[in-house]
Amino acid sequence: MRQNFIGMVISTAMDKTVRVRVPKRVMNRHVQKEILVHKNYMAHDEFEKCNLGDVVRIEHCRKLSRHKSFAVAEIIKAARTWTDPDTGIVHL
């Protein structure tokens, strides 16, 4: 069975690659309190459909480059964006 993670796209600056932040809850062993930690993964986005802020599911695949061994399996929730009509800039 392949590893699957759900996270948010935090960067789309590279060609056919997105950076995904995956949160994880961990128990602090001294205070016995849950804390939220995260890890960033680089994932392959073949058709460059992902945008900044999208919630995606990434799936483990063969190693595609030095840092990239995950691929975007599906876009779960698209980010809410709007375009400024005066300047044409896309905002989250």
Side-chain angles (χ1 to χ4, degrees), residues 34-52:
E34 251 185 20
I35 57 173
L36 192 66
V37 296
H38 68 269
K39 185 169 181 185
N40 295 337
Y41 293 97
M42 292 174 86
H44 186 65
D45 182 18
E46 179 67 36
F47 304 109
E48 297 188 5
K49 290 185 177 182
C50 293
N51 293 316
L52 205 61

Side-chain angles (χ1 to χ4, degrees), residues 4-62:
N4 288 310
F5 294 118
I6 295 175
M8 184 183 294
V9 176
I10 58 171
S11 173
T12 58
M14 298 162 276
D15 258 1
K16 295 188 178 185
T17 303
V18 292
R19 187 175 297 239
V20 180
R21 173 172 283 176
V22 177
K24 181 173 138 183
R25 293 183 184 270
V26 178
M27 185 69 77
N28 184 310
R29 63 181 194 200
H30 297 297
V31 189
Q32 297 300 313
K33 186 175 181 181
E34 251 185 20
I35 57 173
L36 192 66
V37 296
H38 68 269
K39 185 169 181 185
N40 295 337
Y41 293 97
M42 292 174 86
H44 186 65
D45 182 18
E46 179 67 36
F47 304 109
E48 297 188 5
K49 290 185 177 182
C50 293
N51 293 316
L52 205 61
D54 287 353
V55 176
V56 297
R57 182 173 63 87
I58 57 174
E59 185 175 79
H60 193 271
C61 62
R62 69 179 179 85

